[in-house]
Amino acid sequence: MTLTADDIEFETRTGEIKLHGAADFEGMRKAGRLAAECLDMLIPHVQPGVMTSHLDNLARDFIVERGALPACLFYKGYTHTVCISRNHVVCHGIPGDWALREGDIVNIDVTVIVDGWHGDTSRMYGVGKVPARARRLVDITYKGLELGLAAIKPGATFGDIGHAIQKYVESQRASVVRDFCGHGVGKVFHDSPNVLHFGRPGSGPVLQPGMFFTVEPMVNLGKPHVKVLNDGWTAVTRDKSLSAQCEHSIGVTENGIEIFTASPTGLFQPPLQAD
Ligand code: MF3
Ligand code: CO
Ligand code: CO
């Protein structure tokens, strides 16, 4: 089936941090689950020699066949379903006529729309056997996300999330990218607030039950600086160091969080094959 820009409606952000109720949690649960299932579906297809355009097609068909919409397609002129960011690509890598190579680490980021709700998640995949330094970076990135998520509870602040991530990542002699952040999510794809992956404890808005947002740290082995290539999308590390990212969409509950985009397989960090 061919989708056009007219098939997708965009709500815009208002600047307020929305508080959601039980029915909204149910909406996000469905969207998040489908997004996670899409990333699960791709696992066996991430192999040396596979064209990234093929992975994009698989993701699009998977989503559309289930009656959902790919949120990135036609979003701000983007013409693909997923972003595929390899090695020193930080985020927003464009799938196309290029193949995966043995030893690559790639982030695949997908956002689906189910009944108007956006499920936004990304993971790291290893292509064949992956060198130790790349595996170490991926471990640091998942641990950073895990610690950021663990900081979320009513009464804590957005700064506490960023601080938890930054403190750990920098203790591992890696760096947190500053130029991209997480975001409120729900009926709006990129809603308020910006969710920074660095910060001071106690700074920023106070977390309240019913807030929906993503946490999606990008971690570099070298310096945090990035540049965007001439295609207008692909962000790469300035120093060409390896970069990794992982993302969940979550809701704040009375005593912590619900991870909407958790894999139904129960796996938080997919294993990479050692070289
Ligand atoms: N899914 C990305 C995020 O985490 C956004 C990608 S926008 C696109 O916010 F247009 F590049 F797809
Ligand atoms: Co996101
Ligand atoms: Co995303």
Side-chain angles (χ1 to χ4, degrees):
M1 138 179 201
T2 309
L3 292 169
T4 72
D6 296 336
D7 293 317
I8 299 178
E9 253 181 67
F10 301 110
E11 281 193 33
T12 47
R13 60 198 272 177
T14 60
E16 282 147 35
I17 306 176
K18 298 184 183 79
L19 299 180
H20 300 88
D24 306 330
F25 273 81
E26 188 51 35
M28 283 300 287
R29 216 166 270 145
K30 283 194 193 140
R33 187 185 176 96
L34 184 67
E37 285 169 347
C38 180
L39 294 186
D40 286 344
M41 175 277 293
L42 290 173
I43 294 171
H45 299 281
V46 176
Q47 298 291 342
V50 169
M51 285 289 174
T52 49
S53 52
H54 176 61
L55 300 177
D56 191 64
N57 290 337
L58 288 172
R60 186 199 53 233
D61 292 349
F62 182 88
I63 294 164
V64 172
E65 279 164 14
R66 283 156 185 79
L69 291 169
C72 293
L73 196 58
F74 311 123
Y75 179 77
K76 296 189 175 170
Y78 196 73
T79 54
H80 302 271
T81 295
V82 293
C83 296
I84 304 185
S85 304
R86 156 165 83 174
N87 298 337
H88 76 297
V89 179
V90 173
C91 63
H92 301 165
I94 305 173
D97 197 10
W98 57 278
L100 301 176
R101 288 191 297 247
E102 177 90 25
D104 284 345
I105 52 167
V106 288
N107 174 278
I108 304 183
D109 191 336
V110 69
T111 308
V112 306
I113 309 174
V114 179
D115 301 331
W117 296 100
H118 292 72
D120 183 7
T121 184
S122 80
R123 280 185 212 164
M124 295 304 296
Y125 298 74
V127 183
K129 295 182 174 137
V130 172
R133 48 188 272 104
R135 281 185 280 122
R136 177 172 167 273
L137 171 64
V138 172
D139 288 347
I140 295 168
T141 308
Y142 273 94
K143 187 76 188 170
L145 174 60
E146 192 180 337
L147 291 169
L149 295 177
I152 304 174
K153 55 175 184 299
T157 71
F158 279 93
D160 293 334
I161 305 171
H163 180 72
I165 297 168
Q166 180 182 19
K167 189 171 123 211
Y168 171 70
V169 166
E170 292 180 354
S171 79
Q172 299 303 303
R173 302 178 312 283
S175 68
V176 175
V177 169
R178 308 286 204 273
D179 301 64
F180 297 96
C181 54
H183 48 91
V185 71
K187 291 272 187 174
V188 176
F189 186 0
H190 291 117
D191 209 346
S192 303
N194 289 337
V195 180
L196 306 183
H197 304 111
F198 58 95
R200 281 178 297 109
S203 67
V206 175
L207 298 166
Q208 295 176 54
M211 289 181 175
F212 293 171
F213 54 90
T214 73
V215 183
E216 48 181 302
M218 283 140 276
V219 176
N220 300 346
L221 276 184
K223 298 227 153 44
H225 309 105
V226 310
K227 67 174 180 193
V228 176
L229 300 185
N230 287 334
D231 60 26
W233 288 103
T234 312
V236 299
T237 54
R238 283 198 174 263
D239 61 9
K240 300 271 168 63
S241 66
L242 279 183
S243 187
Q245 180 180 24
C246 45
E247 171 176 28
H248 277 305
S249 298
I250 67 98
V252 182
T253 63
E254 292 301 327
N255 41 28
I257 59 170
E258 176 171 345
I259 303 180
F260 298 128
T261 48
S263 170
T265 68
L267 215 55
F268 184 77
Q269 178 179 353
L272 304 189
Q273 227 185 307
D275 64 349

